[in-house]
Amino acid sequence: MTLLRHTPTEIKDRSALSINPAKTCQPVGAMYAALGIHGCLPHSHGSQGCCAYHRSALTRHYKEPVSAATSSFTEGASVFGGQANLLQAINNIFTVYEPDVIAVHTTCLSETIGDDVPQITEKARQEGKIPDGKFVVSASTPSYVGSHVTGFSNMVMGTLKGFAEKTGKKNGKVNIIPGFVEPSDMEEIKRLAAAMGVRTILFPDTSGVLNGPLTGEYKMFPDGGTTIEELRSTGDSIGTLALGEWASADGAKYLDSTHKVPCKILDLPIGLKATDRFIDALRLISGRHVTDLIAHERGQLVDVISDMHQYFYHKKVALVGDPDQVIALTEFLTSIDMCPVHIVTGTPGKKFEARIKEITADSPFPVNVKAHGDMFLLHQWIKNDPVDLLIGNTYCKYMARDEDTPLIRHGFPILDRVGHQYFPTVGYKGGLRLLEKILDALLTRIDRDAKEDQFELAM
Amino acid sequence: MTTIAKKKKIVQMDPTELMEDLLKKYPTKVARKRAKQIMVKEAEGAETPEMGANVRTIPGIITMRGCTYAGCKGVILGPTRDIVNITHGPIGCGFYSWLTRRNQTYTETDADENFMTYAFSTDMNENDIVFGGEKKLKQAIMEAYELFHPKAIAVFSTCPVGLIGDDVHAVAREMKEKLGINVFGFSCEGYKGVSQSAGHHIANNQIFKHVVGTKEEIKVGEFKINLLGEYNIGGDGFEIDRILDKCGITVISTFSGNSTYDQFATSHTADLNTVMCHRSINYVAEMMETKYGIPWIKVNFIGAEATAKSLRKIAQYFDSPKLTERVEAVIAEEMPTVKLAMDMVRPRTEGKTAMLFVGGSRAHHYQELFKELGMRTISAGYEFAHRDDYEGRHVIPEIKVDADSRNIEELEVEPCAESYNPRKTPEEIKNLEEAGFTFKEYAGMIPDMPTKSLVIDDLNQYEAEKLIEIMRPDIFCAGIKEKYSVQKLGIPLKQLHNYDIGGPYAGFKGAVNFYQDIDRMVNSRVWSYLKAPWQEKPELSATYVWE
């Protein structure tokens, strides 16, 4: 029985109906970013359904508690404005849950009615609803613009706007905005920088927040997260590395234009080449040498690529996910002679298609690429031109089963496996893990399909 | 806020004191509001105070609640496989309600329609907000029609739709005319009402108006019922169907687990409506009785005893010796397996305590299963139920609809000129009632709860932690948002929305599954690993003698 049996092979243009989206809406990205601030409670200024959905999505992905509050709009507030709701919420949150920071994001509801969150926050401050030493920051995150990645980017901006200061005294650190990646990736980025002796401020940082331990103690505000002190200090850093243009560039540019902290925008360091560029950028910005340890890890990655090359060569791959991830993955796959042929992101942005075309220019196969596309279209492409491997989030499992295609889960959300929160895919180590996953999927398939006489012991 | 797990269990704390403790930290106004939603169940016969329920959520309190769209699209219409459900709004609402509730569905062949694996949305953008989304919605309906040719298309409104004034009903009417298939809309904007509950009501109204009774196809069957408010989570509906089928009872339609459009359209041909989830579907039950003369009764297939009782109740209604005999035979056949499983597990669960905070019906139903395990419910409550679900339907005349819920439409229903047909004569009804049979009655959760237990409506994160810290239950039942914070405290959390990907839990087989799952959860070795050996015995003396 096929699960997506109504998806026809014939592709018709659709201008209005989105089917099986390859994105979700802004606020969940903002909620995720806010969880990367230490002592922060995310707050959703809208009706409570959004907040429940966003918390559930993140919880299903991480198998961890995700706390967030909401203004719980009623019909009255939706017509006359949500100021009273937000003022009450701020008071209740600081009294009952005692966070250091409330990071407010909005929804299509409060954006459509035009609530001015900074003004409401200012009113809360004047009315003494924000205790001394506590903060409220905010970002405008209309769900009808962009995607969850846009929401992440907007909350990064909102937080920097709320905290970044320039005292004129350099802190000797490098800011890194890691993009919409896993806590495990953030940990790996910090490890690499530390291995080079580069002092960094990583923001946001969900490691230790969304991959925490079980100890018999529940901390609504876990030990992880970028501290307020660090966030303030971002204005005094040597420079900012923004990893992933969609998720991180705006925040980095803000620090550049407002506090004269120069920035460099890089791809997510997924795979050999993008990690090379990241490490090199770290070297240049900090004046530190690349250590033997890192060179060793790089060599191991190249070693495995060469060892297992026969299994990668000219294998066709379909890819779907967030633009920063997909761009980096496309480059990685291309660099190991695999061939991404169908590439979709749900997030809008013209640059995406151009960039993918550039990376895949030498592909021996025709390449389909679409920004603001959906998984229905991707599935149709796959039906017309089957692939050897599919890489995407959990929703891809329906296509994978129907088309009997090996699937590697990557991106957001992964609802049916663990690992993403504990093991990185960025850096050389992450590259190794990705290779292991790719090989495991491909070799398992070869084993499954091999005839009796061709069933091999060693690969 | 940090709560440190306390190993010691406070076995008996006066619930009134506990209630005061819960309220202590709140700002005055909040404490006053919450006080109305937290009650101590008084002893049998003594009056439990009126339960505050179905009132607006306190902003910032970290509620478990969702919205009207979730109640309408996510809960009621989501499980129907052959309607193309289009979410009219930005992408989030459609994305989050895409396969996230475990409404299972079964089709015989690939030729049968099943759209449940798809998420359809108009994916509204800035332009649609500014210039209106009606044109895009029409086009989306058109595209859906051309791609899938479904029996029906339904449109679900989200928050901004109401604000910008898109008329989804006018669009639906126009497209229905144009395409010649049923197209209907739901004004289930997330801000309506105070919770998912408003969405149930809106869904009930529209399904009743646009689908129920639209097809005169008489299904064969001697004892024909509808199963209302059963969503086939984890296969619950399949198990109930199996049992009913074995008894010779024909299910005309299920609202709405494993359902099809035609089932709704022919549901008026059943002779009895049985209501599982009272909160979500009592509106349709009431309206069908008025319009078609089909009586309704409350049933409960959660718990082996409750299942047997419900089967007997259905048999009693049909008043057929043959059916009664069949039902007794099925119960006699099924019960030994259940009993065996219960006997195996009970020594390990007896005397343990449970807390249940689930939607609008399960916090009550599942107390049956815990009773069967010898476990005591020490606290329970709903996210969004109304007073009648807590106290029983007799309080309905006293319930005042407040300003936040006043705009939810109440349909005026009259007996149908062609199809009204009272299934029982007044005399038959009188006889049944004299024999102790109760029509259209639901006594609510509170009467079934143990004396001095705590009943809490719209429980929030703070209160959940407090309850656990003080009462240390052996298991806590709630949903995905609560699961991991509770488990961090060393208390297993059973999800009673998605069953932690387990189930079915309904019927006889379901009871066995549940016993085993609860046994595993409360007796798992994992809960003994929270402290490392060096934390249990921090003294270093041993190292000096290490060789």
Side-chain angles (χ1 to χ4, degrees):
Chain A
M1 199 81 72
T2 50
L3 297 163
L4 298 166
R5 67 183 76 141
H6 302 291
T7 305
T9 309
E10 189 202 345
I11 299 170
K12 281 185 193 161
D13 271 348
R14 282 176 285 127
S15 63
L17 184 67
S18 161
I19 314 173
N20 297 357
K23 64 165 180 178
T24 181
C25 65
Q26 284 208 36
V28 74
M31 189 182 280
Y32 181 64
L35 290 165
I37 306 170
H38 179 70
C40 176
L41 188 73
H43 182 86
S44 169
H45 186 52
S47 61
Q48 67 207 9
C50 313
C51 186
Y53 274 144
H54 298 139
R55 290 177 64 201
S56 300
L58 289 168
T59 298
R60 289 186 184 113
H61 179 74
Y62 289 111
K63 322 287 180 209
E64 288 287 326
V66 172
S67 296
T70 162
S71 296
S72 292
F73 273 55
T74 56
E75 190 157 13
S78 306
V79 176
F80 301 112
Q83 174 169 297
N85 292 56
L86 185 51
L87 290 175
Q88 276 180 55
I90 289 172
N91 189 36
N92 291 339
I93 291 167
F94 280 128
T95 310
V96 180
Y97 295 105
E98 305 172 40
D100 296 327
V101 191
I102 300 173
V104 184
H105 61 259
T106 56
T107 67
C108 48
L109 174 54
S110 52
E111 286 294 330
T112 305
I113 65 177
D115 269 358
D116 183 349
V117 173
Q119 171 264 315
I120 300 172
T121 307
E122 179 54 28
K123 192 171 162 67
R125 201 186 56 76
Q126 284 167 6
E127 289 178 1
K129 290 193 166 77
I130 304 174
D132 285 344
K134 307 268 181 173
F135 305 90
V136 179
V137 294
S138 65
S140 168
T141 53
S143 318
Y144 43 76
V145 176
S147 75
H148 55 294
V149 183
T150 323
F152 178 93
S153 169
N154 284 339
M155 185 47 88
V156 169
M157 275 271 275
T159 309
L160 291 172
K161 273 185 189 167
F163 286 118
E165 290 174 355
K166 193 175 189 75
T167 63
K169 199 170 158 244
K170 286 271 180 227
N171 62 21
K173 294 179 180 175
V174 176
N175 299 326
I176 301 178
I177 305 176
F180 199 149
V181 293
E182 300 291 341
S184 47
D185 294 324
M186 297 185 186
E187 234 158 25
E188 178 65 8
I189 289 164
K190 281 192 291 188
R191 186 188 70 89
L192 285 170
M196 284 176 64
V198 182
R199 291 163 65 217
T200 55
I201 298 172
L202 187 86
F203 169 72
D205 181 3
T206 56
S207 62
V209 179
L210 290 167
N211 56 0
L214 179 61
T215 60
E217 201 179 335
Y218 168 58
K219 293 179 175 176
M220 180 174 276
F221 308 110
D223 297 337
T226 317
T227 62
I228 292 167
E229 205 178 303
E230 287 177 303
L231 288 167
R232 282 198 168 132
S233 184
T234 49
D236 289 331
S237 295
I238 310 167
T240 305
L241 295 182
L243 308 184
E245 173 145 14
W246 270 259
S248 306
D250 285 352
K253 285 179 190 160
Y254 168 80
L255 286 176
D256 195 338
S257 60
T258 313
H259 297 300
K260 304 279 179 299
V261 181
C263 73
K264 189 166 172 63
I265 297 156
L266 298 167
D267 287 323
L268 280 181
I270 295 176
L272 182 71
K273 290 179 168 185
T275 305
D276 284 349
R277 294 195 294 273
F278 170 61
I279 297 293
D280 210 35
L282 267 181
R283 179 179 70 90
L284 293 172
I285 198 171
S286 66
R288 294 265 176 178
H289 289 295
V290 178
T291 56
D292 290 348
L293 173 77
I294 292 171
H296 181 75
E297 286 176 7
R298 182 183 190 278
Q300 287 177 326
L301 179 61
V302 177
D303 189 55
V304 173
I305 296 172
S306 102
D307 290 347
M308 306 307 274
H309 191 246
Q310 72 190 86
Y311 300 105
F312 302 134
Y313 194 72
H314 283 193
K315 290 289 182 300
K316 288 183 180 178
V317 189
L319 264 173
V320 55
D322 300 339
D324 295 327
Q325 308 271 354
V326 171
I327 285 171
L329 282 171
T330 303
E331 189 195 48
F332 185 37
L333 295 171
T334 306
S335 75
I336 62 174
D337 291 320
M338 292 185 85
C339 300
V341 289
H342 310 307
I343 303 157
V344 165
T345 184
T347 300
K350 285 212 174 70
K351 272 187 190 165
F352 177 80
E353 293 180 13
R355 188 70 208 286
I356 294 289
K357 279 181 185 151
E358 191 185 293
I359 298 169
T360 57
D362 295 334
S363 178
F365 305 114
V367 176
N368 289 314
V369 54
K370 186 144 168 62
H372 205 179
D374 55 32
M375 290 197 196
F376 188 77
L377 174 67
L378 182 76
H379 192 185
Q380 290 183 308
W381 280 345
I382 294 173
K383 277 171 174 290
N384 283 291
D385 179 9
V387 292
D388 301 298
L389 184 68
L390 174 59
I391 302 181
N393 67 25
T394 284
Y395 282 99
C396 291
K397 76 195 265 183
Y398 291 77
M399 285 184 272
R401 186 176 133 129
D402 276 4
E403 304 307 326
D404 195 21
T405 305
L407 167 66
I408 291 176
R409 288 165 178 78
H410 186 94
F412 177 82
I414 295 171
L415 310 172
D416 60 339
R417 295 291 188 274
V418 295
H420 50 281
Q421 60 273 70
Y422 305 112
F423 306 105
T425 56
V426 300
Y428 301 117
K429 280 269 186 229
L432 268 182
R433 176 166 175 254
L434 270 174
L435 285 190
E436 189 202 3
K437 288 177 89 149
I438 292 170
L439 284 163
D440 188 36
L442 295 176
L443 300 183
T444 301
R445 174 53 49 95
I446 291 172
D447 279 341
R448 192 199 78 177
D449 294 345
K451 293 200 182 80
E452 190 184 355
D453 54 338
Q454 281 154 12
F455 192 72
E456 299 290 345
L457 175 72
M459 296 277 200
Chain B
M1 183 182 51
T2 306
T3 310
I4 293 167
K6 291 191 187 103
K7 272 278 145 72
K8 267 200 201 132
K9 190 184 282 192
I10 299 172
V11 183
Q12 271 306 1
M13 182 176 185
D14 181 352
T16 316
E17 273 173 44
L18 183 56
M19 191 173 140
E20 279 161 21
D21 207 30
L22 285 180
L23 300 173
K24 220 161 40 192
K25 203 178 182 189
Y26 289 137
T28 323
K29 272 187 188 166
V30 174
R32 208 181 305 138
K33 280 184 189 162
R34 289 302 297 152
K36 293 178 187 157
Q37 289 169 277
I38 306 176
M39 294 298 151
V40 180
K41 157 75 192 268
E42 294 301 338
E44 216 54 56
E47 193 102 339
T48 301
E50 176 185 317
M51 193 70 204
N54 192 32
V55 291
R56 66 167 66 171
T57 315
I58 296 163
I61 206 73
I62 313 197
T63 177
M64 295 157 68
R65 283 175 170 176
C67 68
T68 307
Y69 166 86
C72 181
K73 195 269 184 183
V75 172
I76 312 271
L77 268 300
T80 307
R81 65 171 171 264
D82 56 358
I83 300 178
V84 166
N85 289 325
I86 301 177
T87 299
H88 186 40
I91 202 66
C93 310
F95 178 85
Y96 300 111
S97 56
W98 179 20
L99 292 166
T100 46
R101 285 174 62 82
R102 297 183 57 228
N103 313 109
Q104 298 186 356
T105 200
Y106 175 79
T107 56
E108 291 287 339
T109 68
D110 268 6
D112 293 317
E113 290 164 305
N114 176 14
F115 300 112
M116 283 169 65
T117 49
Y118 295 88
F120 305 99
S121 172
T122 54
D123 187 12
M124 288 174 98
N125 60 30
E126 217 161 7
N127 266 336
D128 304 320
I129 299 294
V130 176
F131 301 107
E134 289 185 16
K135 238 175 97 181
K136 191 175 195 182
L137 176 59
K138 271 182 222 174
Q139 176 64 19
I141 293 171
M142 199 64 196
E143 288 171 8
Y145 177 76
E146 284 172 354
L147 273 168
F148 308 111
H149 297 283
K151 286 193 184 70
I153 295 175
V155 177
F156 299 86
S157 304
T158 61
C159 288
V161 171
L163 301 172
I164 63 173
D166 273 3
D167 187 344
V168 298
H169 304 289
V171 170
R173 270 195 305 275
E174 187 188 324
M175 294 311 284
K176 181 179 177 173
E177 186 84 0
K178 190 166 177 178
L179 303 175
I181 60 164
N182 201 353
V183 183
F184 45 98
F186 296 81
S187 289
C188 52
E189 286 86 349
Y191 54 73
K192 293 204 166 157
V194 298
S195 67
Q196 290 94 312
S197 182
H200 301 151
H201 198 161
I202 291 163
N204 277 235
N205 288 350
Q206 296 302 89
I207 281 294
F208 188 76
K209 255 201 286 196
H210 292 279
V211 190
V212 169
T214 54
K215 203 169 170 187
E216 287 300 336
E217 181 194 284
I218 309 295
K219 274 199 199 154
V220 187
E222 222 171 327
F223 311 107
K224 293 190 285 191
I225 69 165
N226 293 318
L227 185 58
L228 305 186
E230 163 49 53
Y231 302 98
N232 200 24
I233 306 284
D236 275 353
F238 293 145
E239 166 65 2
I240 298 170
D241 285 349
R242 179 188 73 84
I243 297 166
L244 292 172
D245 188 53
K246 214 168 155 181
C247 292
I249 298 163
T250 305
V251 180
I252 300 295
S253 75
T254 303
F255 282 58
S256 53
N258 190 34
S259 63
T260 61
Y261 179 83
D262 283 353
Q263 283 187 18
F264 295 151
T266 55
S267 58
H268 65 300
T269 64
D271 292 321
L272 174 68
N273 275 327
T274 61
V275 172
M276 267 289 281
C277 171
H278 174 260
R279 181 68 269 133
S280 64
I281 213 81
N282 74 89
Y283 315 96
V284 155
E286 287 281 294
M287 292 188 287
M288 282 176 83
E289 174 149 24
T290 311
K291 189 166 178 183
Y292 303 106
I294 310 171
W296 72 264
I297 58 170
K298 178 77 182 70
V299 291
N300 175 21
F301 291 102
I302 303 296
E305 287 298 336
T307 300
K309 209 169 134 189
S310 294
L311 292 173
R312 290 184 176 122
K313 200 168 166 185
I314 295 169
Q316 194 184 357
Y317 168 84
F318 284 107
D319 194 23
S320 145
K322 187 177 90 180
L323 179 61
T324 306
E325 207 176 292
R326 190 74 215 124
V327 160
E328 289 306 330
V330 169
I331 295 169
E333 196 187 320
E334 298 276 342
M335 271 306 203
T337 320
V338 177
K339 184 76 178 33
L340 195 70
M342 196 195 296
D343 290 345
M344 294 270 289
V345 165
R346 199 158 163 150
R348 293 193 292 274
T349 52
E350 185 87 54
K352 292 194 186 289
T353 56
M355 291 184 180
L356 300 88
F357 293 93
V358 202
S361 96
R362 292 177 193 194
H364 179 198
H365 288 161
Y366 277 78
Q367 293 185 27
E368 289 278 341
L369 277 166
F370 282 118
K371 267 184 223 158
E372 290 170 2
L373 289 168
M375 291 176 68
R376 197 158 50 93
T377 300
I378 51 177
S379 186
Y382 297 122
E383 280 172 60
F384 51 73
H386 300 192
R387 274 187 65 197
D388 39 326
D389 305 293
Y390 284 106
E391 302 170 60
R393 282 182 68 90
H394 64 276
V395 302
I396 289 178
E398 301 165 28
I399 298 176
K400 289 179 211 77
V401 179
D402 72 10
D404 294 320
S405 299
R406 201 165 290 146
N407 287 344
I408 310 302
E409 188 187 18
E410 284 284 348
L411 292 188
E412 291 289 333
V413 182
E414 284 180 357
C416 175
E418 301 89 49
S419 310
Y420 182 76
N421 164 30
R423 303 319 202 250
K424 294 272 176 197
T425 64
E427 189 168 51
E428 284 170 328
I429 288 186
K430 207 177 130 229
N431 288 343
L432 275 166
E433 281 176 340
E434 273 169 7
F437 197 87
T438 48
F439 284 102
K440 50 194 301 176
E441 175 52 25
Y442 174 46
M445 175 171 81
I446 293 177
D448 276 348
M449 289 191 64
T451 302
K452 295 290 167 195
S453 54
L454 261 183
V455 189
I456 307 179
D457 181 62
D458 188 14
L459 184 84
N460 58 53
Q461 177 66 34
Y462 170 72
E463 290 164 9
E465 271 179 65
K466 264 297 208 202
L467 277 182
I468 291 168
E469 184 191 333
I470 297 167
M471 296 171 93
R472 298 297 294 177
D474 293 292
I475 198 160
F476 193 97
C477 301
I480 186 74
K481 301 194 295 300
E482 297 74 39
K483 181 167 177 95
Y484 299 100
S485 62
V486 171
Q487 293 195 163
K488 292 278 184 203
L489 291 161
I491 304 288
L493 186 142
K494 181 73 216 164
Q495 292 187 68
L496 284 186
H497 296 276
N498 82 347
Y499 300 167
D500 298 300
I501 319 301
Y505 290 150
F508 300 114
K509 288 187 178 171
V512 174
N513 286 338
F514 192 78
Y515 302 154
Q516 290 167 350
D517 281 354
I518 296 303
D519 176 29
R520 170 180 59 75
M521 292 183 82
V522 299
N523 293 307
S524 168
R525 290 188 168 93
V526 68
W527 309 115
S528 69
Y529 304 148
L530 307 185
K531 290 282 164 275
W534 55 90
Q535 289 170 309
E536 305 270 10
K537 288 194 177 119
E539 64 277 7
L540 282 169
S541 57
T543 53
Y544 300 122
V545 294
W546 192 75
E547 293 170 42

